[in-house]
Amino acid sequence: MLEKIMPFKKPIYITRPILPDLNKVVEKLTKIWNSKWLSNNGYQHNLLEKKLLKYLKVPFLSLFNNGTTALITACKCLDLKYEVITTPFTFPATPNALIWNNIKPIFCDINPKTMNIDVDKIESLISTKTTGILAVHVFGTPCKINRIEQIAKKYRLKIIYDAAHSFGVEIDGKGIGNFGDITMFSFHATKLFHTCEGGALTYNNMDFNKELALLKNFGIKNENEVILPGLNGKMNEIQAAIGICVLEYIEEEIYKRQILYSAYKNFLNNIEGISFIDELPNVKKSYQYFVIKINEKNFGKSRDYIYENFKSYNIFTRKYFFPLCSEYPFYKNLPSANPKLLPNAHKIVDEVLTMPFYGELYVEDIENICKILKSFRNS
Ligand code: T4K
C-alpha cells in the first residue's frame, strides 16, 4: 500500500536567510547609533570590506547597496558600449544592467550541462560593435573561464562575471572573484551570504578602486569637484553590520547545506528523468541552490506539473530562470533573441527546478520532499 504523505505544516521555501543572534545585531546597532555614522564609508563598511577580501580571496573589492547597481556600475567602469554578449538564462538584473548603460544585449545560447553561456557559440556573435562579454556563473557553476579569456584577448573585449550565486566558489583554490575584469556578487537576503540587500565588485586592477569609489558616490571627487556622472551605489552601515554578523554563521550554514545536498543526491539517486548539474572536480561549490532537471518523457510528469503540485504540500519551489530574458517583451524582438538561435536555453528553461535548500531544514524534510516528488510520477 502507498504511504500517505502529509503536507508540511509550515510553508517550505527554496531558501531562508541566515538570521544572526538578535542580541549581537543590537550590539552592533548600538555602536552605530553611538557613532552617529550611518553611511558613506563608515567603520562597519570598511570592516566588512576587509573581512570579505579575505573570505573571497581577492585583491580588491568594492561594496554596493545591491548586486544590480554593482553590475550597472561595473559596465560603466569598463566603459562598455554598443553591444555586449550575454546569456538569456539568468535573472533580469543581468541584461537589464546593460540596457541601463545603453548597451544592446546580444544573447548567446547556453551549454545544457552547466547552463552557462556556451563558449563555442560566442565568437559567431562578435561584431565590430561588441565591447564585452557578460557571463553568469549560473547556480554557482563556474563558466569556462580560460576559453572566455582567450576569446576576449583575441577580440579585445572586456569580461564581467555575474557571480550572484557564487559566494565562496573557488577554482583550484582561487576565489571565483579573481577572473575577468570585474566580478559581481549579490548579497541579497536570499543569498548564502547576505546584507539584507547588498553586493560587491571584485577585480585585480587597483585603478578601479578610485574609479568605482567615484562612480558609486555621484562622481564626487571632493567638496569642490564632481568629475563623473556617478550614481548612489553605497552600502550603508546597517547593511554592513548585518553582513559582519552573518559572516560568523557562514561555515555552519555551509556545513548544514552540505549534509542536505548529499541527502538530496542520495534520495533522488537513479530516478529516471531526474538529473543534477554536473559537479566539477577542481571547484569548491557555493551551496547556494539545489537544482534538479526534470526530463518529462523519462519522468512521466513535466517540471510545471511538479512545481504546481508541490504547492498542495506547502512546498514552494522556483522555476529559475523562467521565462528566459530573451522572451521578455522588451528583448524578444532582438535578432539574437530568436528561439531558433537559443535551442538549449529554451529546452533547459522548461526542465529546471530550484528545490528547498537552507540550513534550517532537516534530512527528514528532504526525505519527505523527495518522497512527494517520487509520488508525482505515479499520480
Ligand atoms: N544576477 C543574478 C544571476 C541574480 O540571480 C541576481 C539576483 C542578480 C544578478 C541581482 O542581484 P541583487 O540586485 O538582487 O543583489 C530573488 C532575489 O531577490 C534576487 O536577489 C536573486 N538574484 C534571485 C535569484 O532571487 P525572487 O524574486 O525570486 O525573490 P523572492 O522574494 O521570491 O524570494 C525567494 C524566496 O526566498 C521566497 O519564496 C522566500 C525566501 N525569502 C525571500 C526574502 C526576500 C525569505 O525567506 N526571506 C526574504 O527576506 O528574487
Side-chain angles (χ1 to χ4, degrees), residues 51-65:
K51 286 180 183 284
L52 288 177
L53 278 169
K54 199 164 158 215
Y55 192 90
L56 295 172
K57 301 186 180 172
V58 290
F60 304 110
L61 177 145
S62 176
L63 291 171
F64 279 79
N65 48 13

Side-chain angles (χ1 to χ4, degrees), residues 271-276 292-304 306 347-348 350-353 373 377:
I271 299 185
E272 225 192 322
I274 304 271
S275 59
F276 313 109
I292 59 171
K293 276 190 281 179
I294 298 134
N295 180 304
E296 183 177 355
K297 212 168 117 219
N298 295 339
F299 184 72
K301 291 286 186 308
S302 70
R303 186 278 312 274
D304 288 351
I306 294 167
K347 182 169 183 288
I348 288 293
D350 289 332
E351 294 186 346
V352 175
L353 195 64
L373 174 58
R377 179 175 219 162

Side-chain angles (χ1 to χ4, degrees), residues 15-17 67-68 91 162 164-165 186 188 190-191 289 318 320:
T15 191
R16 303 256 77 181
T68 307
F91 200 61
D162 177 335
H165 313 158
S186 163
H188 181 260
T190 53
K191 299 300 185 303
Y289 293 112
R318 295 303 286 265
Y320 292 139

Side-chain angles (χ1 to χ4, degrees), residues 161-225:
Y161 284 113
D162 177 335
H165 313 158
S166 306
F167 189 81
V169 170
E170 292 177 12
I171 306 177
D172 292 321
K174 214 171 163 191
I176 193 79
N178 286 286
F179 304 98
D181 293 285
I182 299 186
T183 296
M184 182 281 284
F185 291 88
S186 163
F187 304 150
H188 181 260
T190 53
K191 299 300 185 303
L192 176 63
F193 168 77
H194 74 89
T195 57
C196 294
E197 289 273 3
L201 297 178
T202 62
Y203 38 91
N204 297 310
N205 184 342
M206 192 166 62
D207 295 344
F208 292 170
N209 276 337
K210 257 195 187 157
E211 183 79 1
L212 290 170
L214 282 168
L215 282 170
K216 71 176 178 184
N217 189 32
F218 316 100
I220 297 175
K221 186 177 175 198
N222 57 46
E223 287 182 32
N224 300 314
E225 291 172 280

Side-chain angles (χ1 to χ4, degrees), residues 244-255:
I244 292 165
C245 295
V246 167
L247 205 53
E248 300 273 309
Y249 292 77
I250 206 87
E251 294 308 324
E252 188 188 333
E253 177 69 17
I254 291 174
Y255 176 71

